[in-house]
């Protein structure tokens, strides 16, 4: 298969071949000036083909922020070629950080400048996201740098609440939250829903290599402080490196399952290499989604299997069904099928029960897709969708294999027929979400994936830029445009 990628040296768009070899899917590209580069795209060709079946093309935004000019990824912002609306938005509120991690996208101390948008700029970025059509952005994450180094973070979170974002997150290393229960409570009262917590291992050693110090005690204090403050939606976020912490995945999932009152998910991120790195080191540390899924399978004694996971766009039929039911556009997860994977698991009697073991998820979503295709929006008031679902729902559930602690049939019916926030919350209280998102670097970037990205950075110049495009091409340009020299910033903030 032919696609487009970037030269890791000059960042020019170059022709690229994605091909199968020895059961793996590889990516190979040649820059006329800098030579040939080769990397693993997916380490399991069979799973690559299975996930490809669930691709859905979105229609992008009706009001693009940029025009076609130089082509992808240089027109990012969103341009008319982009195929997915903003599913999750990111706003970097600072590039300052209280850690110096070698695997991080944001590198404040080394740049010599401070990027820190003003409250008014952040308000304008939120307004940009709200104004997206045909459907506004509903989920926002504040990141950096480390967002908690800003004293006004609670006010920023409160602003997001006032914009009616229904999911407000911070991506954090947890140092500030570990220090103060009161700070956790302040963030919750401001409107924070989810702490997206950097969490790489259940033992000290990997933290030294990934973070430079043993951060495990910090992570434990964050969990406890969130529990005490009522901030009870934490997602653990391991950055996975082969040979460094890929043996920790099962233990992290077990830890999460033992703290379900606070921890609602584990979202794993196979490492994306920032900066130049040679072929030998990439081969040593590179892990792709299939490799991580097989680690989960082995480390949970096959209680959670590779086949329990599905690609992100697998759930698009639910959005299509929601459009029919509600008569208005819905957020659609039309990301590239090889960007990420996920599943839900119940925990009962110390064992994992993936949702796929007692619900025919493929059959259920096929049915919902058929309902959505059968009716158009003009007929919404005449549909007896609820009755139809109730009459069909039992054929998709194997009650004998379902967890005993929950009425799965009732919960599923309520989630699909009512779809209310309370029902969704009830579902999440009973389950642990396991997700994986492999963000691209300059060695494995595929512009087909970039065009389908649903995670977008809002920037002060009025754009929403896809995640991998921003971190590989646009970050430095944007930050320099809206930054001040570090020494100047320090002189202006000597009272802090």
């Amino acid at each position: 298969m032919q696609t487009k990628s970037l030269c890791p040296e000059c960042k020019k768009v170059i022709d690229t071949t994605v091909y199968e070899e020895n059961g793996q899917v590889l990516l190979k590209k040649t820059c006329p000036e800098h030579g040939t580069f080769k990397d693993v795209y997916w380490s399991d060709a069979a799973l690559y083909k299975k996930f490809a079946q669930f691709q859905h093309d979105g229609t992008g935004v009706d009001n693009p922020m940029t025009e076609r000019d130089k082509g992808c990824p240089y027109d990012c912002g969103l341009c008319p070629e982009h195929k997915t609306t903003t599913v999750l938005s990111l706003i970097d509120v600072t590039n300052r950080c209280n850690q110096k991690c070698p695997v991080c996208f944001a590198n404040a101390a080394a740049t010599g400048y401070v990027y820190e948008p003003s409250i008014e700029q952040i308000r304008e970025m939120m307004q940009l996201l709200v104004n997206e059509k045909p459907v506004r952005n509903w989920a926002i994450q504040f990141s950096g740098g480390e967002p908690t180094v800003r004293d006004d973070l609670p006010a920023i979170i409160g602003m997001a609440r006032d914009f009616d974002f229904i999911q407000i997150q911070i991506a954090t290393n947890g140092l500030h939250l570990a220090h103060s229960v009161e700070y956790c409570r302040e963030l919750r009262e401001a409107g924070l829903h989810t702490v997206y917590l950097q969490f790489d291992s259940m033992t000290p050693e990997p933290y030294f290599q990934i973070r430079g110090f043993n951060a495990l005690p910090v992570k434990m204090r964050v969990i406890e402080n969130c529990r005490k403050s009522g901030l009870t939606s934490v997602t653990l976020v391991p950055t996975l490196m082969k040979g460094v912490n890929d043996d920790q995945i099962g233990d992290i999932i077990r830890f999460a399952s033992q703290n379900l009152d606070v921890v609602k998910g584990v979202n794993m991120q196979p490492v994306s290499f920032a900066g130049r790195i040679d072929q030998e080191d990439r081969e040593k540390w590179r892990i792709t989604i299939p490799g991580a899924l097989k680690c989960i399978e082995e480390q949970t004694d096959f209680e959670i299997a590779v086949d329990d996971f599905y690609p992100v766009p697998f759930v698009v039929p639910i959005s299509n069904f929601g459009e029919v039911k509600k008569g208005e556009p819905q957020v659609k997860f039309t990301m590239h099928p090889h960007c990420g994977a996920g599943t839900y698991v119940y925990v009962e009697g110390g064992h994992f029960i993936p949702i796929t073991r007692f619900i025919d998820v493929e059959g259920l979503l096929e049915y919902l897709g058929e309902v959505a295709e059968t009716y158009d929006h003009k007929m919404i008031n005449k549909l007896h969708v609820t009755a139809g679902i109730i009459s069909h729902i039992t054929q998709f559930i194997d009650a004998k294999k379902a967890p005993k602690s929950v009425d799965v049939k009732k919960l599923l019916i309520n989630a699909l027929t009512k779809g209310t926030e309370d029902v969704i919350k009830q579902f999440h209280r009973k389950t642990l979400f396991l997700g994986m998102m492999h963000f691209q670097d300059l060695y494995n970037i595929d512009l087909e994936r970039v065009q389908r990205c649903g995670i977008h950075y809002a920037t002060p110049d009025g754009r929403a830029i896809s995640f991998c495009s921003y971190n590989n091409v646009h970050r430095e340009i944007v930050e320099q445009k809206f930054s001040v020299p570090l020494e100047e910033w320090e002189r202006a903030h000597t009272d802090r």
Side-chain angles (χ1 to χ4, degrees), residues 52-208:
Q53 299 174 56
F54 298 103
Q55 179 164 310
H56 291 269
D57 280 345
T59 56
V61 292
D62 294 343
N63 53 337
M65 303 93 172
T66 58
E67 298 178 352
R68 298 183 186 91
D69 182 18
K70 298 178 182 178
C72 183
Y74 293 99
D75 293 336
C76 241
L78 298 166
C79 85
E81 298 291 337
H82 203 80
K83 293 179 170 62
T84 303
T85 58
T86 305
V87 175
L88 172 67
S89 61
L90 302 181
I91 293 181
D92 278 352
V93 295
T94 183
N95 73 334
R96 293 185 294 128
C97 190
N98 47 13
Q99 284 187 185
K100 296 180 181 179
C101 304
V103 299
C104 187
F105 293 116
N107 187 356
T111 61
Y113 57 77
V114 172
Y115 169 80
E116 197 156 288
S118 67
I119 284 284
E120 185 54 39
Q121 286 174 320
I122 293 172
R123 179 181 288 108
E124 291 173 357
M125 285 187 264
M126 290 189 201
Q127 188 65 61
L128 173 81
L129 298 163
V130 169
N131 289 345
E132 272 194 28
K133 297 177 181 179
V135 59
R136 61 158 286 178
N137 172 228
W138 292 104
I140 191 168
Q141 182 181 108
F142 299 111
S143 56
E146 170 55 44
T148 62
V149 302
R150 280 192 69 142
D151 295 336
D152 57 357
L153 181 60
I156 293 170
I157 291 170
M159 190 192 310
R161 178 195 59 205
D162 293 341
F163 270 105
D164 295 325
F165 284 94
I166 60 177
Q167 178 59 224
I168 303 171
Q169 309 173 357
I170 60 167
T172 178
N173 57 37
L175 290 178
H176 198 162
L177 280 74
H179 181 69
S180 171
V181 175
E182 285 304 316
Y183 183 69
C184 295
R185 185 173 292 113
E186 183 181 7
L187 295 181
R188 177 183 63 80
E189 292 174 350
L192 182 65
H193 298 121
T194 298
V195 175
Y196 211 64
L197 179 64
Q198 183 188 94
F199 196 102
D200 300 312
S201 174
M202 293 301 301
T203 61
E205 291 79 9
Y207 286 106
F208 285 106

Side-chain angles (χ1 to χ4, degrees), residues 32 34 68-69 81 110 120 162 183 186 222 244 270 301 318 327 331 339 362 364 372 381 390 394 418 438 466 468:
H34 298 104
R68 298 183 186 91
D69 182 18
E81 298 291 337
E120 185 54 39
D162 293 341
Y183 183 69
E186 183 181 7
V222 173
V244 176
D301 295 325
I318 296 177
V331 174
C339 284
E362 291 191 30
L364 175 61
N381 294 327
I390 292 174
T394 54
K418 297 180 181 178
H438 193 172
S466 67
C468 296

